[in-house]
């Protein structure tokens, strides 16, 4: 049995749960490697993946005997089989933030067991990465850094935001990524004032500021990076804001280490912006892993401290309403004494000069 | 008030529901045109959309006075406001197949009302398309057909499945589609034996069979088509299976018309495969609209008959374990006397020949 399932089993035991029904496909991938539709049952004695005939072949190419996961085709399971899975279990966990009310009711009838909310037990486990996961995220970050280098030569005046966004996707996929980790944000000129801008047909022109927010997946693991770049020259009004955001980005990365309070880190970052006259329009960061946004959220509502081997982003931004914005974001590994940047692209002014 | 909301209000009344909480964003788009985050309340007297300040501007550009939808910023709503929305309501519907168990519990506390399952009331309404919806689906199907024509010239030996999948996305987006309707399936050689294969880095080679399953969205409405193509020549073992699948596809399309029993159509298709020695590995089709899979499901568990202006796919497939598969799928409009194919690409053998 792999370490993730062993760890989960220990955790369930400590919460007086004799089993769990895992429905969230990301959690199933995390625990088993399986990416096919189905449900994973952690029962008293066994790990059972219930799927249907469409997927049994794909599942069996992923699993080995060492995984100790029984694969069942749901068409071969009777009512009695289902009712038997959790026999002798008093409380069985389920994912209340993933399972619909309808599925909850069905699960009650199917498994005939007392279902208990698990409050993100696996999501919390996922927040702390093992070596293999970190190396996948590192690789995703490397591809992202390389993509940024490439963009410096690719971006030309007259191109649209959409074209650049699309080129980011093409680059990622043809350079070893599974996929982008989210639709790239390319926000130029006044569009950069919207934190969640969607690429438009606006054309890049002289003097532009451009926010590039992008990342990719490698073996399912995500990267996330933002750089703000300039065309031909940097206008003075941009410089002041850029310096503030960069200072905040570096300060916040410095705050990050095992044991630091997430609440305090968040407050520090927000207060720094506020002292300089700007409101924090979004959280300063979030966990990254199998999902591009996962635990821990860097939020003043998060009571936990950072733990070693968490991977989080640091992404302060300043947005001047209707005019422009600057955001600088890195993916960062939490370590015992501090943090290690996994995205290594330069944060000095990037000025793209070309005559097209 | 628009026709869709009027229709829903009548339906709610007939089911003794005095209101409904609409959470599914697709249903909200269907009823209001709104694509921003939020929840739609159908109360005794009003239609209320609750959103937050990030979206009020976008929402107000979509709505007009004729829509009769009040927009509320949730930051301005008190506990009492929430509890007052469904005052004098005995039963209020909610979307039990969309709302998570966690959100259901929150809704109970927030609205303080008896929540009643609505059993897909809006999804069922959505199954029957109006003229504007049909013309959007037609357009999505046209882009899909054009993409298939393009792929015949694009696909070359040595390319990976991923590269082809990516090119499908690029083509769709640069040729008028909002987006793909799902991640394209490109399954070549033995990968084609998995009905839901994910594109890999396997390279296309001489003699290959390739399943191409893809579609796009136009103004939110989806298309869905599958063609199975060949590189250089068609091996004899593929031919026999291809003919069976094609015959089944045509027979099933012939079965489709207003009033036909969905159960019978499904059984016919499955039995035909079985008579030839193959198991049906998936359902022979599904509704298509704002979602690529929606009502009606072509299933032996569906008791309803087809109605005019439903749009469904017909997608029989045969999968030879570990060796190869064939699937042929069209998007089809149900009419009074029969059906009209909306995807018009040829289903004769497509043999891609090139020397690369």
């Amino acid at each position: 049995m792999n370490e993730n399932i062993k760890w989960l089993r220990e955790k369930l035991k400590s919460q007086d749960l004799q089993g769990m029904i895992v429905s969230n496909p990301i959690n199933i991938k995390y625990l088993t490697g399986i990416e096919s539709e189905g449900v994973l049952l952690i029962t008293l004695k066994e790990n059972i993946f219930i799927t249907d005939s469409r997927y049994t072949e794909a599942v069996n190419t992923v699993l080995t005997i060492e995984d100790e996961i029984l694969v069942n085709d749901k068409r071969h399971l009777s009512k009695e089989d289902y009712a038997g899975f959790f026999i002798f279990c008093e409380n069985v966990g389920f994912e209340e933030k993933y399972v619909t009310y309808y599925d909850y009711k069905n699960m009650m009838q199917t498994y005939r067991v007392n279902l208990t909310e698990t409050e993100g037990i696996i999501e919390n486990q996922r927040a702390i990465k093992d070596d293999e996961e970190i190396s996948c995220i590192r690789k995703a970050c490397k591809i992202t850094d390389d993509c940024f280098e490439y963009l410096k030569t690719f971006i030309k005046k007259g191109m649209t935001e959409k074209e650049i966004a699309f080129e980011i996707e093409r680059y990622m996929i043809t350079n070893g990524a599974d996929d982008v980790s989210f639709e790239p944000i390319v926000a130029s000129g006044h569009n950069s004032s919207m934190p969640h801008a969607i690429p438009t047909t606006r054309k890049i022109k002289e003097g532009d500021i451009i926010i590039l927010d992008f990342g990719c997946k490698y073996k399912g693991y995500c990267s996330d990076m933002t750089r703000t770049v300039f065309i031909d020259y940097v206008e003075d009004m941009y410089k002041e804001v850029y310096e503030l955001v960069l200072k905040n980005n570096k300060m916040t990365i410095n705050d990050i280490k095992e044991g630091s309070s997430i609440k305090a880190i968040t407050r520090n970052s927000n207060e720094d912006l506020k002292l300089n006259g700007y409101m924090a329009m979004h959280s300063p960061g979030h966990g990254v892993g199998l999902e591009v946004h996962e635990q821990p959220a860097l939020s003043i509502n998060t009571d936990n401290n950072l733990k070693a081997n968490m991977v989080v982003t640091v992404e302060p931004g300043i947005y001047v309403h209707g005019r422009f914005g600057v955001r600088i974001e890195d993916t960062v590994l939490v370590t015992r004494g501090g943090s290690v940047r996994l995205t290594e692209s330069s944060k000095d002014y990037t000025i793209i000069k070309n005559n097209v």
Side-chain angles (χ1 to χ4, degrees), chain A residues 83-337:
Chain A
F85 285 132
F86 292 112
I87 201 159
F88 307 127
C89 293
E90 242 182 287
N91 299 303
V92 168
F94 80 109
E95 295 164 305
E96 73 281 3
K97 287 195 178 177
Y98 182 81
V99 170
T100 65
Y101 179 80
Y102 178 86
D103 287 338
Y104 167 79
K105 276 184 50 178
N106 274 348
M107 276 161 50
M108 293 274 277
Q109 283 172 3
T110 304
Y111 298 105
R112 297 187 214 158
V113 76
N114 183 36
L115 293 174
T116 304
E117 301 175 36
T118 47
E119 297 177 357
I121 186 172
I122 302 171
E123 283 80 357
N124 292 336
Q125 182 181 351
R126 278 169 42 197
I128 297 162
K129 273 70 181 176
D130 66 24
D131 291 348
E132 204 180 317
E133 293 180 288
I134 292 167
S135 87
C136 289
I137 297 173
R138 250 182 217 285
K139 174 77 181 167
C141 288
K142 176 73 173 74
I143 297 170
T144 306
D145 280 332
D146 291 346
C147 181
F148 182 62
E149 277 311 301
Y150 169 74
L151 288 175
K152 290 181 193 174
T153 63
F154 174 79
I155 293 174
K156 305 251 176 339
K157 279 176 276 188
M159 281 179 179
T160 66
E161 293 171 355
K162 273 194 185 188
E163 281 175 79
I164 297 167
F166 193 77
E167 187 65 13
I168 293 173
E169 292 206 41
R170 197 200 58 76
Y171 181 94
M172 297 300 199
I173 290 166
T174 53
N175 284 277
D178 317 334
D179 200 350
V180 289
S181 47
F182 58 94
E183 292 299 317
I185 294 174
V186 177
S188 64
H190 58 88
N191 288 344
S192 62
S193 75
M194 292 177 286
H196 292 264
I198 292 166
T200 70
T201 53
R202 182 187 182 282
K203 287 183 176 171
I204 303 304
K205 57 177 205 267
E206 190 182 316
D208 263 351
I209 186 169
I210 316 176
I211 291 181
L212 301 164
D213 188 349
F214 58 109
C216 68
K217 285 187 193 182
Y218 180 76
K219 293 193 180 170
Y221 285 85
C222 299
S223 63
D224 191 358
M225 180 172 88
T226 307
R227 289 293 181 268
T228 301
V229 305
F230 303 89
I231 302 297
D232 293 325
Y233 50 82
V234 188
E235 279 193 40
D236 283 342
M237 65 170 176
Y238 297 154
K239 279 189 185 163
E240 186 205 346
V241 171
Y242 192 90
E243 301 292 341
L244 288 175
V245 173
L246 181 57
K247 185 173 69 89
N248 190 298
N249 167 285
K250 289 180 175 173
M251 177 194 80
T252 308
I253 290 177
N254 257 325
D255 282 350
I256 283 180
K257 63 166 176 287
E258 183 182 27
S260 294
S261 146
I262 291 175
K263 199 189 283 276
I265 291 170
T266 307
R267 203 164 34 210
N268 258 356
S269 172
N270 292 353
E271 282 300 313
D272 175 61
L273 296 180
K274 210 168 160 186
L275 278 172
N276 289 292
Y278 297 100
M279 271 270 291
M281 298 273 284
H282 52 71
S283 118
H286 52 82
V288 178
L290 285 171
E291 289 179 289
V292 72
H293 291 108
E294 59 176 47
Q295 292 302 320
L298 299 197
S299 156
I300 47 165
N301 302 317
T302 306
D303 284 321
N304 302 331
N305 294 342
L306 288 174
K307 291 183 182 142
N309 294 343
M310 283 181 166
V311 175
V312 297
T313 66
V314 173
E315 54 168 322
I318 290 178
Y319 307 91
V320 184
H321 186 72
R323 290 174 56 216
F324 72 94
V326 172
R327 182 166 65 254
I328 303 174
E329 175 185 34
D330 287 301
T331 298
V332 161
L333 172 67
V334 182
T335 64
R336 218 146 161 207

Side-chain angles (χ1 to χ4, degrees), chain A residues 10-18 91 116-118 121:
Chain A
E10 283 307 310
K11 193 80 185 170
L12 289 171
K13 218 180 279 176
S14 77
Q15 299 190 5
D16 195 29
L17 295 171
Q18 290 82 47
N91 299 303
T116 304
E117 301 175 36
T118 47
I121 186 172

